[in-house]
Amino acid sequence: MANKGEKRYRKVKRINIWSAIVEFVFFSILSAIVMAAAVQLFASYIIDSKITSEYERIQYMARLYENGLKNDDRNIYNLLVEEGHEYVITDADDNVLHINGENTRSDVSGMVRLSESDDEILVYQDAVRGFVYPGRNNHLALDFKGFREWMSADDNAEEKDIGHIYESSQGMINLPIWISVDVDNGNKHFIGKALYSANRHDARVLTILAGAMAVLVVVILITMLVAAIKNFVRQRRMINLYFTDMVTEGHNWSWFLIKGERMLRKRSNLKTKYAIVSLNFVNYRNYCICHSVASGERLLCEIYTYIEKQLDKKEMCAHTTSGGFALVLKYNDKESVKGRLEELIEGLCRLDEEHHFSFQAGVAFIEDAKDRKGRLLPRKDIDIDSVYNNASAARATLAPSVESGIAFFDESLVEEQIWLDRVQEKQQYALNNEEFMVYYQPKYDPRTNELRGAEALIRWNSPEYGFLSPGRFIPIFEKNGFITEIDHYMLKHVAADQKKWLDEGYKCVPVSVNVSRAHFIESDLAEQIRDIVDEAGTPHEYIEIELTESAFFDDKMALLNTIGKLKNYGFAVSMDDFGSGYSSLNSLKDLPLDVLKLDAEFFRGDSEDERAKIVVSEAIKLGKSLNMNIVAEGVEIKEQVDFLAGEGCDMIQGYYFAKPMPGNEYADRMKADSKTES
Ligand code: C2E
Ligand code: CA
Ligand code: CA
């Protein structure tokens, strides 16, 4: 769960941030490129178109010169001067043959293709005013820096103020570039100085255009930035929502899982010992029923706030579901956690003095792994979800009580849980396959050592788990309700065994069968028992029904009714485990029982204990005077047998005489007994 939550959380974060960043960077770069290209293109287009006419003039002069050369015209240089362009004539090795004006041609040259002609022409940058130069892609380029300098100059400024750029007043500028034209079959070059004259107006249009584009780009970028920030804020809100508990408005389970794991994983927290607590407000549901869900939720808010206040730095609390809270606490030892939780629970109970509140807490410690040298290993694989689950399992052990309490998780709980699962998984199969066996424990008369009865006790002979005594599985069946099936099963087998032994001529005695408390809520229980026994064809006096003392606290009328019917059908009914739990003296008064089984606890301590003897003796007298037979359970030593015999106890069921045994061994006892009789 933690992993899934973490993945989902990361997805939410990653998508938004990255898409915004990628978008922003992509558009920034794209617009910068587009803007630069557009301005450069536009500039070169303007220069280009103006230079074309200059090129044509220089070409004309070159042809003029060539013709003059051919005709040996001495007047040619005068003619050329009239054309008004400065020029240089060089030979093939670039030696200057003739100059008109000032030769400011620089070495920087390149081929340029003018947009209106297919020719590529060779151009040279001007050494003094080189603002136009052969740029990349065979286009003329403009040096923006110099251009800006000129642009910013005052229209009426004197030439000297802005130095070499300025050619004439009225805001005109002449930007020179030298254009070379081959003459004399390429043996000579006529290199004329072309002048690109621009006025400020042109330049300003260009600048405004560039500016507008820049503004546009900036606007787009700002819009995107705003969108990204909005996105970011929205995402923060989303994360907040994702982590907020709707009831307490504090942190929720997802937050606990993700942030908790992150905190525990941090290297800086490695040396701190942490405990995970599953805390439950036991009375929550009841409180909601008695008041309202809204006030119940208000109370949860108060509880949450109170807990938060008790937390130290690097401790956490979240509301899980209904009355549940999850906590991460720092601790030194088990006792300190216990002390803190007790204090916390006390404080929580004081939130509303008018009500009696209770809180149950389960605690599981984060187990820290160490390397061979005893150094702590990073908590890379920490799974806070399963540690919390362990804490909850520990808390669940308190569940039968509704009082406040604290329980700690240990490994035996896991084993218990695993065992519980296995038993539940196998129970039906085991029943169908007759894996459950009936053992018989004989009951003897202590005065005559005569076999007077037996109790049927279940055993599970499991192919997977071996031979199991009832303590391992009966409590589980009692909880999950399977016990009623077991009771039927036992009764059926005991009735069948008795019938078989009777038919075989054994001297049978009554066998008691345990009927669990859960069974007694069924109103037709007596009929069910009768039918099962009748199906086997066993006379009813050979079957006795044992009820545990605790059953007598349930619906007394129903119980009385069932007992009455059972007696009517001719079954003896006994009260099992008398004296073990709450006193059932009161029940003795109302219920017409046949047998009183004194609980084994009476015979556990010192056999010479006078007080114990008095209690047993009085219990026997009480039973006797109510016309009941008395059976003492769990008797192991001779002194007890003798004492009980003296007190008039009717039967003893205990290891002194016999342990529970399989049916065939028990049958041998009956046989042996009947032999001594005969
Ligand atoms: P229980 O009904 O009180 O049965 C008597 C238990 O005391 C039996 O334990 C028996 O073996 C034991 N016991 C008898 N004499 C002595 C003795 O001298 N010393 C000691 N230490 N123990 C003695 P077992 O068979 O383990 O059964 C335990 C409990 O499981 C039973 O207590 C009963 O509550 C339940 N149980 C057993 N079989 C069934 C059944 O078929 N149905 C139901 N509903 N419960 C059963
Ligand atoms: Ca019993
Ligand atoms: Ca008993």
Side-chain angles (χ1 to χ4, degrees), residues 268-425:
S268 53
N269 292 339
L270 196 57
K271 286 206 177 120
T272 317
K273 294 204 278 182
Y274 283 103
I276 305 289
V277 180
S278 162
L279 181 76
N280 190 39
F281 172 34
V282 181
N283 320 75
Y284 179 60
R285 292 273 171 232
N286 248 343
Y287 189 91
C288 287
I289 291 170
C290 298
H291 300 82
S292 67
V293 174
S295 49
E297 290 188 346
R298 265 198 302 280
L299 188 58
L300 289 182
C301 271
E302 275 180 54
I303 291 170
Y304 181 85
T305 317
Y306 182 84
I307 298 173
E308 279 253 283
K309 273 194 205 142
Q310 310 308 310
L311 296 185
D312 202 358
K313 251 188 241 154
K314 294 187 176 175
E315 294 191 324
M316 306 173 87
C317 168
H319 176 231
T320 55
T321 48
S322 59
F325 294 87
L327 278 69
V328 180
L329 298 182
K330 295 186 281 191
Y331 79 102
N332 289 324
D333 51 52
K334 195 172 164 179
E335 282 310 304
S336 68
V337 190
K338 197 166 172 236
R340 251 188 100 184
L341 284 173
E342 277 167 355
E343 235 171 71
L344 180 75
I345 290 175
E346 247 173 62
L348 288 171
C349 289
R350 262 184 280 142
L351 282 180
D352 186 344
E353 308 265 17
E354 281 174 26
H355 290 87
H356 172 74
F357 286 160
S358 50
F359 291 84
Q360 293 180 337
V363 186
F365 297 109
I366 304 260
E367 299 291 341
D368 284 320
K370 287 183 180 167
D371 66 6
R372 264 192 237 138
K373 288 182 184 162
R375 285 174 304 207
L376 286 167
L377 289 172
R379 298 181 183 123
K380 267 193 317 220
D381 303 320
I382 179 90
D383 180 5
I384 200 169
D385 198 3
S386 66
V387 184
Y388 178 80
N389 191 51
N390 290 347
S392 298
R395 183 173 55 72
T397 60
L398 302 169
S401 156
V402 290
E403 290 304 309
S404 291
I406 299 163
F408 289 85
F409 174 81
D410 70 273
E411 281 307 314
S412 66
L413 247 161
V414 179
E415 278 161 31
E416 223 171 82
Q417 198 58 45
I418 291 171
W419 178 244
L420 183 88
D421 276 359
R422 286 195 179 141
V423 168
Q424 311 215 99
E425 192 190 322

Side-chain angles (χ1 to χ4, degrees), residues 441 455 458-459 470 487 490 514 576-577 633-634 636 654-655 660:
Q441 186 177 28
E455 178 178 3
I458 194 169
R459 299 291 179 264
D487 286 349
M490 291 294 284
N514 292 284
D576 199 1
D577 302 338
E633 275 191 300
E636 294 182 355
Y655 291 178

Side-chain angles (χ1 to χ4, degrees), residues 242-265:
Y242 185 66
F243 281 153
T244 303
D245 174 55
M246 293 213 291
V247 178
T248 59
E249 287 182 357
H251 292 125
N252 64 9
W253 176 240
S254 298
W255 178 84
F256 184 80
L257 286 183
I258 291 166
K259 298 288 179 180
E261 258 175 31
R262 285 189 181 185
M263 185 183 79
L264 294 172
R265 275 202 199 116

Side-chain angles (χ1 to χ4, degrees), residues 200-213:
R200 280 221 178 86
H201 179 73
D202 276 4
R204 279 188 183 138
V205 168
L206 189 67
T207 319
I208 288 168
L209 206 86
M213 279 188 77

Side-chain angles (χ1 to χ4, degrees), residues 78-290:
N78 293 337
L79 265 171
L80 287 173
V81 169
E82 277 172 25
E83 289 299 317
H85 276 280
E86 289 171 48
Y87 63 85
V88 178
I89 296 168
T90 62
D91 65 10
D93 298 326
D94 211 29
N95 297 315
V96 177
L97 303 175
H98 181 83
I99 295 174
N100 172 38
E102 198 184 348
N103 181 10
T104 54
R105 175 180 66 116
S106 81
D107 288 341
V108 181
S109 66
M111 301 302 288
V112 163
R113 187 189 295 271
L114 296 178
S115 44
E116 284 175 27
S117 81
D118 285 339
D119 303 345
E120 281 209 339
I121 56 170
L122 179 64
V123 299
Y124 291 89
Q125 192 175 5
D126 190 78
V128 183
R129 300 160 202 149
F131 295 107
V132 179
Y133 59 91
R136 271 179 300 155
N137 307 329
N138 295 13
H139 279 294
L140 285 173
L142 185 66
D143 173 13
F144 283 104
K145 202 171 148 241
F147 202 67
R148 241 191 1 251
E149 210 178 305
W150 168 65
M151 278 284 301
S152 56
D154 185 354
D155 270 358
N156 301 318
E158 288 296 315
E159 182 177 351
K160 59 180 177 301
D161 291 344
I162 38 175
H164 54 264
I165 320 165
Y166 207 57
E167 281 286 321
S168 64
S169 54
Q170 283 92 42
M172 291 297 289
I173 185 172
N174 283 327
L175 304 172
I177 187 143
W178 295 79
I179 296 174
S180 169
V181 178
D182 287 355
V183 286
D184 194 14
N185 292 327
N187 289 327
K188 288 179 185 167
H189 307 294
F190 185 93
I191 307 167
K193 185 180 180 184
L195 288 175
Y196 164 59
S197 49
N199 59 27
R200 280 221 178 86
H201 179 73
D202 276 4
R204 279 188 183 138
V205 168
L206 189 67
T207 319
I208 288 168
L209 206 86
M213 279 188 77
V215 168
L216 195 75
V217 167
V218 169
V219 167
I220 292 175
L221 287 183
I222 288 176
T223 315
M224 281 176 54
L225 199 69
V226 168
I229 290 170
K230 264 193 192 164
N231 228 355
F232 182 73
V233 170
R234 209 175 300 143
Q235 182 204 52
R236 283 274 120 198
R237 270 196 213 136
M238 220 161 91
I239 290 171
N240 259 348
L241 215 67
Y242 185 66
F243 281 153
T244 303
D245 174 55
M246 293 213 291
V247 178
T248 59
E249 287 182 357
H251 292 125
N252 64 9
W253 176 240
S254 298
W255 178 84
F256 184 80
L257 286 183
I258 291 166
K259 298 288 179 180
E261 258 175 31
R262 285 189 181 185
M263 185 183 79
L264 294 172
R265 275 202 199 116
K266 261 195 196 156
R267 276 192 168 272
S268 53
N269 292 339
L270 196 57
K271 286 206 177 120
T272 317
K273 294 204 278 182
Y274 283 103
I276 305 289
V277 180
S278 162
L279 181 76
N280 190 39
F281 172 34
V282 181
N283 320 75
Y284 179 60
R285 292 273 171 232
N286 248 343
Y287 189 91
C288 287
I289 291 170
C290 298

